[in-house]
């Protein structure tokens, strides 16, 4: 069996490990995750490996990005399996802080992101979310001081929020986006897919199929509004409660009235049963 990577759980342990990692002029990549690792996460680790000589993966289920009614308590936690997967990738260090290490008693500072965090997509349905993400990612970047940090395009708005934050706060890290990894039927891989019943799992690829259909129609010159209307109907008819299906400018996330307004990205979020899924696609 491949040797498990060292796991730091306290800031003191992290600092000791970083001192060793950073000797011999290593470049460092950080891949932040909430664990329950799947092939999507591993693709980020491999991209990180190509961009830096040392790879750190953080595993922290961040309470600050869950609302009280969301799934913090039941979020899948599979540390042993995660460490085995990271060992196979020869990850150099796992940063798995305890909640107390990340948010000690009396913790009272937050990062409040603007711009892409207020685009009216995820933020409209999860108003607490990007504040929690920005605060924890800001901390992770300051704790690990990586040269590059890899995030998935799966969480497209999050990627834009983190990229903006790193620039605005002069964090000195290059944020890299990695393409969405999908199951064979097109469903975007997600730690939350384990929540899906067999029936829901069968319906779930409708999101990606709808994105693909809409993208093809838009590329073919059809109008944005009518295309999205049909896409929304298809998602609802498949049994989803739709939060949004939108066409946005791929960089600013501003609404797009026509494809002529700039590079476009389609973004969707919808609930099937109790599980909320998100996906997106370049047009
Ligand atoms: P999470 O553990 O869900 O917070 O995700 C950690 C990182 O993995 C984030 O940057 C996600 O965007 C990325 N990620 C999650 N699922 C996928 C996927 N299917 N393809 C690519 N990246 C992903």
């Amino acid at each position: 069996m491949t040797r498990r990577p060292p796991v730091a759980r306290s800031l003191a342990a992290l600092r000791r490990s970083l001192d060793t990692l950073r000797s011999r002029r290593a470049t460092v990549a950080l891949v932040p995750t909430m664990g329950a690792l799947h092939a999507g996460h591993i693709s980020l680790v491999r991209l990180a490996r190509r961009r830096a000589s040392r790879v750190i993966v953080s595993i922290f289920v961040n309470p600050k990005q869950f609302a009280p009614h969301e799934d913090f308590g039941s979020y899948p936690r599979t540390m042993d399996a995660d460490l085995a997967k990271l060992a196979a990738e020869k990850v150099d260090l796992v940063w798995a802080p305890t909640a107390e290490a990340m948010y000690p008693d009396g913790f009272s500072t937050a990062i409040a992101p603007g711009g892409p965090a207020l685009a009216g997509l995820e933020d409209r349905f999860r108003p607490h979310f990007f504040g929690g993400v920005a605060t924890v990612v800001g901390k992770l970047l300051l704790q690990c001081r990586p040269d590059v940090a890899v995030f998935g395009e799966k969480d497209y708005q999050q990627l834009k929020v983190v990229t903006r934050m790193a620039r605005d706060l002069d964090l000195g890290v290059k944020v890299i986006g990695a393409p969405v990894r999908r199951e064979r039927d097109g469903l975007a891989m997600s730690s939350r897919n384990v929540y899906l019943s067999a029936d829901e799992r069968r319906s779930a690829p409708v999101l990606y199929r709808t994105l693909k259909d809409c993208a093809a129609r838009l590329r073919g010159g059809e109008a944005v509004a009518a295309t999205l209307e049909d896409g929304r109907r298809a998602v609802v008819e498949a049994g989803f409660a739709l939060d949004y299906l939108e066409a946005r400018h791929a960089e600013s996330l501003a609404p797009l009235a026509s494809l002529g307004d700039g590079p476009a990205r389609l973004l969707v979020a919808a609930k099937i049963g109790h599980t909320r899924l998100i996906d997106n696609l370049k047009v």
Side-chain angles (χ1 to χ4, degrees), residues 222-241:
E222 293 191 42
V224 172
T227 302
L228 292 179
E229 246 350 284
D230 289 348
R232 289 176 186 130
R233 194 170 322 114
V235 171
V236 170
E237 278 170 6
F240 286 86

Side-chain angles (χ1 to χ4, degrees), residues 32-35 38 40-41 44 75 151-152 154-155 158 179-181 189:
T33 81
M34 298 204 298
H38 51 65
H41 296 112
L44 270 54
Y75 195 84
F151 289 82
K154 159 80 186 354
D155 300 275
Q158 170 177 283
V180 184
R181 280 292 303 262
M189 290 181 180

Side-chain angles (χ1 to χ4, degrees), residues 79-174:
M79 188 55 104
D80 269 1
D82 292 351
L83 291 179
K85 288 175 186 168
L86 297 178
E89 299 301 319
K90 301 197 164 43
V91 160
D92 298 281
L93 176 65
V94 174
W95 170 220
T98 59
E100 178 55 26
M102 190 58 93
Y103 301 122
D105 251 5
F107 183 88
S108 43
T109 302
I111 298 177
L118 303 176
L121 297 163
E122 285 302 285
D123 49 299
R124 198 145 56 90
F125 298 90
R126 306 183 72 193
H128 57 283
F129 180 67
F130 289 118
V133 167
T135 301
V136 81
V137 171
K139 286 194 62 136
L140 290 167
L141 293 173
L142 291 166
Q143 289 160 347
C144 298
R145 288 251 148 234
D147 301 283
V148 304
V150 183
F151 289 82
E153 289 184 345
K154 159 80 186 354
D155 300 275
Y156 194 78
Q157 189 179 5
Q158 170 177 283
L159 170 64
K160 298 299 161 192
V161 169
V162 170
T163 303
R164 183 75 251 171
M165 174 182 73
R167 203 175 297 157
D168 288 350
L169 299 184
D170 304 319
L171 295 179
V173 62
K174 184 171 173 50

